[in-house]
Amino acid sequence: MKISNYRLTKGIAYILLASIIASVCIIVISKEMIVDITFSVLCLFFVIMLFRLQCVVFENSGNCITFRKHHPFTMKKFIPPFIELPESSIKDYSFRNGLGVSHLTLKVNSKRKKNMVVKLFLLGFTSSQNKKIVSSLQFIRLNNSN
């Protein structure tokens, strides 16, 4: 099972890019100093948001859980995993829904560290995608408790 927020983040990236171009055009056309400063700050904010925007892909292949993060304008065919964990190492999880942002906390048993905690922010996933992630993690936790 593969779940991604690629379409939403790509749409947001295009909107941010259009906003940056519009802000630069307004700065060039405007002759008011206050308007120039305001749109310069706004343009800087949009650029920072554009660089920080990330697509997140949750993949459950049966024996392994993989999270991949990449920028929406990345042209690479292979994206290395951000986190890759065997299902047997996942001890527990916590999933909290916020306003457009979900917080996922995984408690993992590893050989190096007894209890390791992995925290992820999942931006832009729909409620049905969140339910699929939660059901997948519940199934893993149920299998690991037996």
Side-chain angles (χ1 to χ4, degrees), residues 8-138:
L8 179 74
T9 53
K10 190 149 187 168
I12 291 171
Y14 281 124
I15 290 170
L16 286 172
L17 197 59
S19 300
I20 291 168
I21 292 170
S23 296
V24 169
C25 290
I26 291 172
I27 291 169
V28 169
I29 294 171
S30 173
K31 296 184 182 188
E32 297 282 328
M33 185 63 120
I34 294 172
V35 174
D36 288 347
I37 293 171
T38 304
F39 278 97
S40 296
V41 170
L42 195 61
C43 185
L44 180 66
F45 175 72
F46 289 149
V47 168
I48 291 170
M49 292 287 292
L50 183 65
F51 281 119
R52 298 210 49 196
L53 191 62
Q54 289 183 336
C55 297
V56 178
V57 179
F58 170 79
E59 219 175 311
N60 185 355
S61 62
N63 293 327
C64 193
I65 289 182
T66 306
F67 285 95
R68 299 177 195 275
K69 287 185 176 184
H70 61 93
H71 194 271
F73 294 146
T74 301
M75 297 297 178
K76 295 180 188 175
K77 289 189 178 188
F78 175 74
I79 298 153
F82 176 69
I83 295 173
E84 192 167 38
L85 300 168
E87 285 185 358
S88 60
S89 69
I90 296 175
K91 189 168 132 181
D92 197 13
Y93 75 95
S94 171
F95 193 86
R96 291 182 294 145
N97 277 332
L99 188 63
V101 178
S102 302
H103 304 277
L104 176 64
T105 305
L106 296 172
K107 294 177 184 173
V108 179
N109 273 344
S110 67
K111 293 180 181 179
R112 294 181 188 153
K113 295 181 181 178
K114 274 286 189 193
N115 293 321
M116 188 170 83
V117 176
V118 177
K119 294 181 182 181
L120 294 166
F121 293 100
L122 305 175
L123 173 71
F125 283 93
T126 63
S127 60
S128 63
Q129 288 175 327
N130 286 335
K131 287 178 185 175
K132 287 179 185 177
I133 292 172
V134 168
S135 67
S136 174
L137 291 172
Q138 283 177 346

